[in-house]
Amino acid sequence: MDRIASSPAIAAVKASLEGISFADDAATLRLKSRDFYWFSPILKAELDGKLADLIVFPKDESEVMHVAAIAARCRVPITVRAGGTGNYGQCVPLHGGIVLDISALESTVWVKAGAGRFQAGSRLLEIDRSLKPFGQELRFYPSTRKQATIGGLVAGGAAGAGTCTWGQISDMGAVLGLRVVTVEDEPQIVELRGPDIYKVMHAYGVNGIITEVEVPLAPAHDWAERIISFPTLKAAAAFGQDLTSRDAIAKKLVSVHDARIPAGIKRLKAIVPDGEAMALVMISEPQIEQSEELARTHGGVLRYARSAADAERAAFEGEGDLAPIYEYSWNHTTLHWLRADPTITYLQLRFPPGRNLDLVDWIVETFPDEILLHLEFQRRFGHVTHSALPIVRYSTRERLYEIIDALNANDVAVADPHSYLLNDAGWKRVDSGSAEFKRFADPHGLMNPGKLKDWSVQ
Amino acid sequence: MDRIASSPAIAAVKASLEGISFADDAATLRLKSRDFYWFSPILKAELDGKLADLIVFPKDESEVMHVAAIAARCRVPITVRAGGTGNYGQCVPLHGGIVLDISALESTVWVKAGAGRFQAGSRLLEIDRSLKPFGQELRFYPSTRKQATIGGLVAGGAAGAGTCTWGQISDMGAVLGLRVVTVEDEPQIVELRGPDIYKVMHAYGVNGIITEVEVPLAPAHDWAERIISFPTLKAAAAFGQDLTSRDAIAKKLVSVHDARIPAGIKRLKAIVPDGEAMALVMISEPQIEQSEELARTHGGVLRYARSAADAERAAFEGEGDLAPIYEYSWNHTTLHWLRADPTITYLQLRFPPGRNLDLVDWIVETFPDEILLHLEFQRRFGHVTHSALPIVRYSTRERLYEIIDALNANDVAVADPHSYLLNDAGWKRVDSGSAEFKRFADPHGLMNPGKLKDWSVQ
């Protein structure tokens, strides 16, 4: 399918916007048609140059509905975005048309003990800032907390800091409700709850515009930060596993890195001695003492300490000598490395609980130079394990898929981040109902076209 | 060893109390020399009639130190107690002397985000009541929350509601610090932190008088209560395992009962249909909807629902149509059954994660009539499993130990609750350092004598 938005159709859209803010200058089109897909050399080649015809900035849900109606009536593609922190081109418009930037939908609908409801464009950091007086916080956030929105987390994200305690966004219980606007001549509003939420979760906005997200909240802890070095990755990984398995230690982040990773990031190189592996941890402040003791039993040496108050200032105000340490974990590790070496890329790996540490050893032996592991410890379905978003030294597409095949064949499941197809990357939820729901919510097949493989308007 | 407190020694103690409150009337001596050891027919035979000579009621730590000095100088046994909710005779004075009731030491030393420090005689329910305005709560409490104290939980307890999320009191991180008074001519105050706390934890007060306990606190949730019935114990247990494994559902209690258990408790018999197994759950209120849905997928039918506000009123004010549901779980189940049938008793079982549900099947097949299981789901060392405090139909001591041996031989670990010896019941922590610490903190061997097997003054 080629660009399906004809000039007359785009002109008709513009003529119908009735004062809703939009932009079509070249700089804005370029800026708002991108996400972080360039982490992948494969996606970079495939997605560079894909542009929207028009960026529309609705200020509230009624404007969202108005734009949805125009898109439907004019048969113009519509791709939803906000922070644009995805890594698979989730919000890159493959076939032009409208990019709908919902960043202005950033109000809190309500907050009560243990739950909150937010407009989808609310940034995660700002949600946490607003929750502070209530003694509550989001259970988890990706390393892009500052830019990423709650709608984006639900529509295209997975995990992050907090996953070591609360699991992932896809887990039953992680999302309570979603409000969705359909793309029809007369758009409808649908409230999804219970298992119905999976119809639109992690669906890259192919089947409805999520306007509100209701999530359980965690009562807030004061999270202190520590960076601890270890003689080997094996020792650091054993610490990570041990700490994450300690039910009695309240924790937000347990991120363990191959020695070469901090050595390649300027600010960390100054903290972690050459040749030593590293653990980044965020721990409830009153439990730091015991966590440090646990680290010592694994051969760890404390290299950096920041109080919860100072860590919060780093996150909320950008103050301090180091970015918030979660900004060196998860996929921010890749970002820091790409700044120094644009030839590298990354993968997304899941490890089976019980065998995860053995499989780390196997990867280190099998791919000593090509894969630099950092392990993001987490709870999955009641078990402790880790995922990994390793730095991968990229040579060719063929070699990358050889590595992927070898990993998959050895029970390290790869969620391929080098495909923009919904069915390939991420969850591969064939049972998610997203295709079926698309027939209802997007009868003209206009939403983020090209992302849902093998789908066509019937 | 026989009673070692001579009448002149007791008289000397009384003469030295300098206004500290005490009692030696028969009723008080009887009342304050007992705990719930009578759950065990074996302990009942062994401990009935064991009496203190004197109950002393210090009002603060300086009075505790004064009594400790008198006990040391007069060489009179001293046994610490408070709520007296133990089940192994932890606070029964085997050799008379002083019972030190520290119930008046019930002040909060300090509270901050994520931690609090309390005098050892503080009752758990009152701690939670006082924490309410701070948006915090104790991580866990035994079913005896109303009577039990934080000092008793540390000195002789293990787990309870909250264990499904936070593990047990013995887990690293569950206790931050302990303040201990030694029993010497000139008593000392010792602050134990880190691994040193295990020297006196679960030591039944044989090696020091715990006067303050510092614990991490959980930010508070609003815990709603549900009772759900299932066609079979197997289905209920599968639900319990599934729910406890859902990292994203915030939970305080997951307690699963054989169909015969609610049938034997009047208030529950009215709620749960005959022949149906039962799950008692406490869930963060905004997540009730998803928990009920999960129960339905396991064949569960909702039988009783109480809002978090009403559940709190039941716990704090004693109001409502049903006791707080945690008062039907853990060892309260035994208490309710004993009221109807004084011939039964119980055991304490730990199940290895991964095989726990299979071992439930094995017990049901092997001991169809003698063991009535209720499964207390919990996290242990990062795994989901359950313990059990089953109702056991008691015939003889020999048969009881046949059952215990069979269970132990099949990987169901029995912590024998029919022994008052520290080394037999509970943790069997030979590495705990309690004996070594006793030589320091109790040089005359006066503290709770007879509980630490094979120990003698050197």
Side-chain angles (χ1 to χ4, degrees), chain B residues 8-56:
Chain B
I10 296 297
V13 167
K14 284 185 199 169
S16 312
L17 279 174
E18 294 179 9
I20 296 173
S21 175
F22 73 92
D24 59 359
D25 62 286
T28 305
L29 290 181
R30 207 161 45 236
L31 184 69
K32 295 294 185 183
S33 299
R34 293 168 64 82
D35 63 14
F36 286 79
Y37 66 80
W38 51 270
F39 278 26
S40 161
I42 293 167
L43 291 180
K44 185 166 162 46
E46 290 175 347
L47 298 181
D48 268 358
K50 299 287 181 193
L51 286 178
D53 294 287
L54 194 65
I55 317 295
V56 183

Short mmCIF file of all heavy atoms in Angstrom, two decimals, chain B residues 8-56:
data_model
loop_
_atom_site.label_atom_id
_atom_site.label_comp_id
_atom_site.label_asym_id
_atom_site.label_seq_id
_atom_site.Cartn_x
_atom_site.Cartn_y
_atom_site.Cartn_z
N PRO B 8 12.52 -16.95 99.78
CA PRO B 8 13.28 -15.76 100.18
C PRO B 8 13.70 -14.91 98.99
O PRO B 8 13.69 -13.68 99.06
CB PRO B 8 14.50 -16.36 100.90
CG PRO B 8 14.11 -17.74 101.27
CD PRO B 8 13.13 -18.21 100.26
N ALA B 9 14.06 -15.58 97.91
CA ALA B 9 14.47 -14.82 96.72
C ALA B 9 13.30 -13.99 96.20
O ALA B 9 13.46 -12.81 95.86
CB ALA B 9 14.98 -15.76 95.64
N ILE B 10 12.13 -14.60 96.13
CA ILE B 10 10.94 -13.87 95.67
C ILE B 10 10.64 -12.71 96.61
O ILE B 10 10.32 -11.59 96.16
CB ILE B 10 9.73 -14.82 95.55
CG1 ILE B 10 9.99 -15.90 94.49
CG2 ILE B 10 8.46 -14.05 95.25
CD1 ILE B 10 10.16 -15.38 93.09
N ALA B 11 10.76 -12.98 97.90
CA ALA B 11 10.52 -11.90 98.87
C ALA B 11 11.51 -10.76 98.66
O ALA B 11 11.15 -9.58 98.73
CB ALA B 11 10.64 -12.47 100.30
N ALA B 12 12.74 -11.13 98.36
CA ALA B 12 13.76 -10.10 98.11
C ALA B 12 13.42 -9.29 96.86
O ALA B 12 13.60 -8.07 96.84
CB ALA B 12 15.14 -10.75 97.96
N VAL B 13 12.92 -9.96 95.85
CA VAL B 13 12.50 -9.25 94.63
C VAL B 13 11.42 -8.24 94.98
O VAL B 13 11.51 -7.05 94.63
CB VAL B 13 11.98 -10.24 93.56
CG1 VAL B 13 11.26 -9.50 92.44
CG2 VAL B 13 13.13 -11.08 93.01
N LYS B 14 10.40 -8.71 95.66
CA LYS B 14 9.28 -7.81 96.00
C LYS B 14 9.78 -6.60 96.79
O LYS B 14 9.34 -5.47 96.54
CB LYS B 14 8.24 -8.56 96.83
CG LYS B 14 7.37 -9.50 96.01
CD LYS B 14 6.28 -10.11 96.89
CE LYS B 14 5.72 -11.37 96.25
NZ LYS B 14 4.85 -12.13 97.17
N ALA B 15 10.68 -6.87 97.70
CA ALA B 15 11.17 -5.78 98.55
C ALA B 15 11.98 -4.76 97.75
O ALA B 15 12.17 -3.63 98.20
CB ALA B 15 12.03 -6.36 99.68
N SER B 16 12.46 -5.17 96.59
CA SER B 16 13.33 -4.27 95.80
C SER B 16 12.61 -3.58 94.66
O SER B 16 13.22 -2.87 93.87
CB SER B 16 14.51 -5.07 95.22
OG SER B 16 15.12 -5.87 96.22
N LEU B 17 11.32 -3.80 94.52
CA LEU B 17 10.64 -3.30 93.32
C LEU B 17 10.44 -1.78 93.34
O LEU B 17 10.16 -1.18 92.29
CB LEU B 17 9.29 -4.02 93.12
CG LEU B 17 9.41 -5.39 92.46
CD1 LEU B 17 8.07 -6.11 92.42
CD2 LEU B 17 9.98 -5.27 91.05
N GLU B 18 10.55 -1.20 94.48
CA GLU B 18 10.51 0.27 94.60
C GLU B 18 9.34 0.91 93.86
O GLU B 18 9.53 1.82 93.05
CB GLU B 18 11.83 0.88 94.11
CG GLU B 18 13.00 0.49 95.00
CD GLU B 18 14.33 1.06 94.50
OE1 GLU B 18 14.30 1.89 93.58
OE2 GLU B 18 15.37 0.65 95.05
N GLY B 19 8.18 0.36 94.10
CA GLY B 19 6.99 1.00 93.55
C GLY B 19 6.59 0.52 92.17
O GLY B 19 5.55 0.91 91.64
N ILE B 20 7.39 -0.34 91.57
CA ILE B 20 6.98 -0.89 90.28
C ILE B 20 5.79 -1.81 90.49
O ILE B 20 5.77 -2.64 91.41
CB ILE B 20 8.14 -1.65 89.61
CG1 ILE B 20 9.29 -0.67 89.32
CG2 ILE B 20 7.68 -2.35 88.33
CD1 ILE B 20 10.55 -1.33 88.81
N SER B 21 4.80 -1.67 89.65
CA SER B 21 3.54 -2.41 89.81
C SER B 21 3.76 -3.92 89.67
O SER B 21 4.50 -4.38 88.81
CB SER B 21 2.56 -1.92 88.74
OG SER B 21 1.38 -2.67 88.76
N PHE B 22 3.14 -4.70 90.56
CA PHE B 22 3.22 -6.16 90.43
C PHE B 22 1.96 -6.79 91.00
O PHE B 22 1.14 -6.13 91.65
CB PHE B 22 4.46 -6.71 91.13
CG PHE B 22 4.39 -6.69 92.63
CD1 PHE B 22 3.92 -7.81 93.34
CD2 PHE B 22 4.79 -5.58 93.35
CE1 PHE B 22 3.85 -7.79 94.73
CE2 PHE B 22 4.73 -5.55 94.74
CZ PHE B 22 4.25 -6.67 95.44
N ALA B 23 1.80 -8.10 90.74
CA ALA B 23 0.66 -8.84 91.29
C ALA B 23 1.12 -10.25 91.63
O ALA B 23 2.00 -10.80 90.96
CB ALA B 23 -0.49 -8.90 90.28
N ASP B 24 0.55 -10.79 92.69
CA ASP B 24 0.84 -12.20 93.00
C ASP B 24 -0.39 -12.92 93.51
O ASP B 24 -0.29 -13.95 94.16
CB ASP B 24 2.02 -12.33 93.97
CG ASP B 24 1.76 -11.61 95.28
OD1 ASP B 24 0.67 -10.99 95.42
OD2 ASP B 24 2.63 -11.66 96.17
N ASP B 25 -1.56 -12.36 93.18
CA ASP B 25 -2.79 -13.08 93.52
C ASP B 25 -2.94 -14.26 92.56
O ASP B 25 -2.43 -14.26 91.43
CB ASP B 25 -4.00 -12.14 93.40
CG ASP B 25 -4.17 -11.63 91.98
OD1 ASP B 25 -3.35 -10.76 91.55
OD2 ASP B 25 -5.07 -12.12 91.27
N ALA B 26 -3.64 -15.27 93.00
CA ALA B 26 -3.73 -16.54 92.27
C ALA B 26 -4.30 -16.35 90.86
O ALA B 26 -3.79 -16.92 89.88
CB ALA B 26 -4.59 -17.54 93.05
N ALA B 27 -5.34 -15.51 90.75
CA ALA B 27 -5.99 -15.34 89.44
C ALA B 27 -5.02 -14.71 88.44
O ALA B 27 -4.90 -15.17 87.30
CB ALA B 27 -7.25 -14.48 89.58
N THR B 28 -4.32 -13.67 88.86
CA THR B 28 -3.37 -13.00 87.95
C THR B 28 -2.21 -13.93 87.62
O THR B 28 -1.76 -14.00 86.47
CB THR B 28 -2.86 -11.68 88.57
OG1 THR B 28 -3.98 -10.87 88.91
CG2 THR B 28 -1.96 -10.93 87.61
N LEU B 29 -1.71 -14.64 88.63
CA LEU B 29 -0.60 -15.57 88.35
C LEU B 29 -1.02 -16.60 87.31
O LEU B 29 -0.26 -16.91 86.39
CB LEU B 29 -0.17 -16.30 89.64
CG LEU B 29 0.54 -15.44 90.70
CD1 LEU B 29 0.92 -16.32 91.91
CD2 LEU B 29 1.80 -14.78 90.13
N ARG B 30 -2.25 -17.11 87.44
CA ARG B 30 -2.72 -18.11 86.49
C ARG B 30 -2.87 -17.49 85.10
O ARG B 30 -2.38 -18.03 84.10
CB ARG B 30 -4.06 -18.69 86.97
CG ARG B 30 -4.34 -20.09 86.49
CD ARG B 30 -5.40 -20.80 87.34
NE ARG B 30 -6.54 -19.95 87.61
CZ ARG B 30 -6.99 -19.66 88.84
NH1 ARG B 30 -6.39 -20.15 89.91
NH2 ARG B 30 -8.04 -18.87 89.00
N LEU B 31 -3.53 -16.34 85.05
CA LEU B 31 -3.80 -15.68 83.77
C LEU B 31 -2.51 -15.30 83.04
O LEU B 31 -2.39 -15.51 81.82
CB LEU B 31 -4.62 -14.41 84.04
CG LEU B 31 -5.07 -13.62 82.82
CD1 LEU B 31 -6.13 -14.40 82.05
CD2 LEU B 31 -5.63 -12.25 83.24
N LYS B 32 -1.55 -14.80 83.78
CA LYS B 32 -0.35 -14.24 83.14
C LYS B 32 0.77 -15.27 82.99
O LYS B 32 1.87 -14.93 82.54
CB LYS B 32 0.15 -13.03 83.94
CG LYS B 32 -0.81 -11.86 83.93
CD LYS B 32 -0.96 -11.27 82.53
CE LYS B 32 -1.82 -10.01 82.53
NZ LYS B 32 -2.01 -9.48 81.16
N SER B 33 0.50 -16.52 83.40
CA SER B 33 1.49 -17.59 83.19
C SER B 33 1.12 -18.46 82.00
O SER B 33 1.76 -19.47 81.74
CB SER B 33 1.60 -18.47 84.45
OG SER B 33 2.02 -17.70 85.56
N ARG B 34 0.08 -18.04 81.29
CA ARG B 34 -0.44 -18.88 80.20
C ARG B 34 -0.30 -18.19 78.85
O ARG B 34 -0.29 -16.98 78.77
CB ARG B 34 -1.95 -19.14 80.41
CG ARG B 34 -2.31 -19.97 81.58
CD ARG B 34 -3.82 -19.91 81.84
NE ARG B 34 -4.58 -20.48 80.75
CZ ARG B 34 -4.81 -21.78 80.58
NH1 ARG B 34 -4.33 -22.65 81.45
NH2 ARG B 34 -5.51 -22.22 79.56
N ASP B 35 -0.24 -19.01 77.79
CA ASP B 35 -0.54 -18.50 76.45
C ASP B 35 -1.50 -19.50 75.80
O ASP B 35 -2.27 -20.16 76.51
CB ASP B 35 0.73 -18.21 75.64
CG ASP B 35 1.57 -19.45 75.38
OD1 ASP B 35 1.08 -20.59 75.58
OD2 ASP B 35 2.73 -19.28 74.95
N PHE B 36 -1.45 -19.62 74.49
CA PHE B 36 -2.40 -20.51 73.81
C PHE B 36 -1.78 -21.89 73.55
O PHE B 36 -2.13 -22.55 72.58
CB PHE B 36 -2.88 -19.86 72.52
CG PHE B 36 -3.87 -18.75 72.74
CD1 PHE B 36 -3.45 -17.48 73.12
CD2 PHE B 36 -5.24 -18.97 72.59
CE1 PHE B 36 -4.35 -16.45 73.33
CE2 PHE B 36 -6.16 -17.94 72.80
CZ PHE B 36 -5.71 -16.67 73.18
N TYR B 37 -0.89 -22.32 74.42
CA TYR B 37 -0.28 -23.64 74.27
C TYR B 37 -1.32 -24.75 74.29
O TYR B 37 -1.08 -25.84 73.78
CB TYR B 37 0.76 -23.87 75.38
CG TYR B 37 0.17 -23.95 76.77
CD1 TYR B 37 -0.44 -25.13 77.22
CD2 TYR B 37 0.21 -22.86 77.62
CE1 TYR B 37 -1.00 -25.19 78.49
CE2 TYR B 37 -0.34 -22.91 78.88
CZ TYR B 37 -0.95 -24.08 79.31
OH TYR B 37 -1.52 -24.15 80.56
N TRP B 38 -2.49 -24.47 74.86
CA TRP B 38 -3.53 -25.51 74.98
C TRP B 38 -4.14 -25.89 73.63
O TRP B 38 -4.95 -26.80 73.55
CB TRP B 38 -4.60 -25.08 75.98
CG TRP B 38 -5.15 -23.70 75.72
CD1 TRP B 38 -4.67 -22.52 76.21
CD2 TRP B 38 -6.25 -23.35 74.87
NE1 TRP B 38 -5.40 -21.46 75.74
CE2 TRP B 38 -6.38 -21.94 74.92
CE3 TRP B 38 -7.13 -24.10 74.08
CZ2 TRP B 38 -7.37 -21.26 74.19
CZ3 TRP B 38 -8.11 -23.40 73.36
CH2 TRP B 38 -8.21 -22.01 73.42
N PHE B 39 -3.72 -25.22 72.54
CA PHE B 39 -4.05 -25.72 71.20
C PHE B 39 -3.48 -27.12 71.03
O PHE B 39 -3.95 -27.90 70.20
CB PHE B 39 -3.45 -24.82 70.12
CG PHE B 39 -4.24 -23.58 69.79
CD1 PHE B 39 -5.10 -22.99 70.72
CD2 PHE B 39 -4.14 -22.99 68.53
CE1 PHE B 39 -5.82 -21.84 70.40
CE2 PHE B 39 -4.87 -21.85 68.21
CZ PHE B 39 -5.70 -21.27 69.15
N SER B 40 -2.43 -27.44 71.79
CA SER B 40 -1.76 -28.74 71.68
C SER B 40 -2.10 -29.59 72.90
O SER B 40 -1.82 -29.20 74.03
CB SER B 40 -0.24 -28.54 71.64
OG SER B 40 0.42 -29.74 71.98
N PRO B 41 -2.68 -30.76 72.70
CA PRO B 41 -2.96 -31.62 73.85
C PRO B 41 -1.68 -32.05 74.56
O PRO B 41 -1.69 -32.28 75.78
CB PRO B 41 -3.68 -32.82 73.23
CG PRO B 41 -3.36 -32.79 71.77
CD PRO B 41 -3.10 -31.36 71.43
N ILE B 42 -0.61 -32.12 73.82
CA ILE B 42 0.66 -32.52 74.41
C ILE B 42 1.20 -31.41 75.31
O ILE B 42 1.57 -31.64 76.46
CB ILE B 42 1.66 -32.87 73.28
CG1 ILE B 42 1.17 -34.13 72.55
CG2 ILE B 42 3.07 -33.06 73.83
CD1 ILE B 42 1.87 -34.41 71.23
N LEU B 43 1.22 -30.19 74.79
CA LEU B 43 1.69 -29.07 75.61
C LEU B 43 0.75 -28.81 76.78
O LEU B 43 1.19 -28.42 77.86
CB LEU B 43 1.83 -27.80 74.75
CG LEU B 43 2.95 -27.81 73.71
CD1 LEU B 43 2.97 -26.49 72.94
CD2 LEU B 43 4.30 -28.05 74.38
N LYS B 44 -0.53 -29.04 76.54
CA LYS B 44 -1.49 -28.83 77.63
C LYS B 44 -1.13 -29.71 78.83
O LYS B 44 -1.08 -29.23 79.98
CB LYS B 44 -2.90 -29.13 77.12
CG LYS B 44 -4.00 -28.84 78.13
CD LYS B 44 -5.37 -28.82 77.46
CE LYS B 44 -6.49 -28.96 78.50
NZ LYS B 44 -6.32 -28.10 79.67
N ALA B 45 -0.83 -30.97 78.54
CA ALA B 45 -0.44 -31.88 79.62
C ALA B 45 0.87 -31.45 80.27
O ALA B 45 1.03 -31.53 81.49
CB ALA B 45 -0.30 -33.30 79.06
N GLU B 46 1.77 -30.94 79.47
CA GLU B 46 3.09 -30.59 80.00
C GLU B 46 3.13 -29.25 80.72
O GLU B 46 3.91 -29.06 81.65
CB GLU B 46 4.13 -30.56 78.85
CG GLU B 46 4.43 -31.95 78.29
CD GLU B 46 5.37 -31.92 77.09
OE1 GLU B 46 5.59 -30.83 76.53
OE2 GLU B 46 5.86 -32.99 76.71
N LEU B 47 2.30 -28.31 80.28
CA LEU B 47 2.45 -26.94 80.78
C LEU B 47 1.36 -26.49 81.75
O LEU B 47 1.53 -25.49 82.44
CB LEU B 47 2.53 -25.96 79.60
CG LEU B 47 3.71 -26.16 78.66
CD1 LEU B 47 3.70 -25.12 77.55
CD2 LEU B 47 5.04 -26.09 79.42
N ASP B 48 0.24 -27.21 81.76
CA ASP B 48 -0.82 -26.83 82.70
C ASP B 48 -0.23 -26.80 84.11
O ASP B 48 0.49 -27.72 84.52
CB ASP B 48 -1.98 -27.82 82.65
CG ASP B 48 -3.06 -27.37 81.65
OD1 ASP B 48 -2.92 -26.30 81.04
OD2 ASP B 48 -4.05 -28.12 81.47
N GLY B 49 -0.51 -25.73 84.82
CA GLY B 49 -0.05 -25.64 86.21
C GLY B 49 1.29 -24.96 86.40
O GLY B 49 1.70 -24.71 87.53
N LYS B 50 1.98 -24.68 85.32
CA LYS B 50 3.24 -23.96 85.46
C LYS B 50 2.90 -22.50 85.81
O LYS B 50 2.15 -21.84 85.07
CB LYS B 50 4.04 -23.98 84.15
CG LYS B 50 4.43 -25.37 83.68
CD LYS B 50 5.54 -25.96 84.53
CE LYS B 50 5.92 -27.36 84.02
NZ LYS B 50 6.75 -28.08 85.01
N LEU B 51 3.44 -22.02 86.89
CA LEU B 51 3.05 -20.70 87.37
C LEU B 51 4.25 -19.85 87.76
O LEU B 51 5.23 -20.35 88.30
CB LEU B 51 2.15 -20.84 88.62
CG LEU B 51 0.72 -21.32 88.42
CD1 LEU B 51 0.03 -21.42 89.77
CD2 LEU B 51 -0.04 -20.36 87.50
N ALA B 52 4.11 -18.58 87.47
CA ALA B 52 5.08 -17.61 87.99
C ALA B 52 4.81 -17.39 89.48
O ALA B 52 3.73 -17.71 89.99
CB ALA B 52 4.93 -16.29 87.24
N ASP B 53 5.81 -16.84 90.15
CA ASP B 53 5.61 -16.44 91.54
C ASP B 53 5.13 -15.00 91.64
O ASP B 53 4.58 -14.59 92.66
CB ASP B 53 6.94 -16.56 92.31
CG ASP B 53 7.39 -18.01 92.40
OD1 ASP B 53 6.78 -18.76 93.17
OD2 ASP B 53 8.34 -18.38 91.67
N LEU B 54 5.35 -14.27 90.56
CA LEU B 54 5.15 -12.83 90.62
C LEU B 54 5.00 -12.31 89.20
O LEU B 54 5.76 -12.69 88.32
CB LEU B 54 6.43 -12.22 91.23
CG LEU B 54 6.43 -10.79 91.72
CD1 LEU B 54 5.48 -10.67 92.91
CD2 LEU B 54 7.87 -10.43 92.15
N ILE B 55 4.00 -11.48 88.98
CA ILE B 55 3.87 -10.82 87.67
C ILE B 55 4.24 -9.35 87.88
O ILE B 55 3.67 -8.68 88.74
CB ILE B 55 2.43 -10.91 87.11
CG1 ILE B 55 1.84 -12.31 87.30
CG2 ILE B 55 2.41 -10.47 85.65
CD1 ILE B 55 2.52 -13.42 86.55
N VAL B 56 5.20 -8.88 87.12
CA VAL B 56 5.63 -7.48 87.28
C VAL B 56 5.25 -6.71 86.02
O VAL B 56 5.39 -7.22 84.90
CB VAL B 56 7.15 -7.40 87.53
CG1 VAL B 56 7.57 -5.95 87.75
CG2 VAL B 56 7.54 -8.25 88.73
#
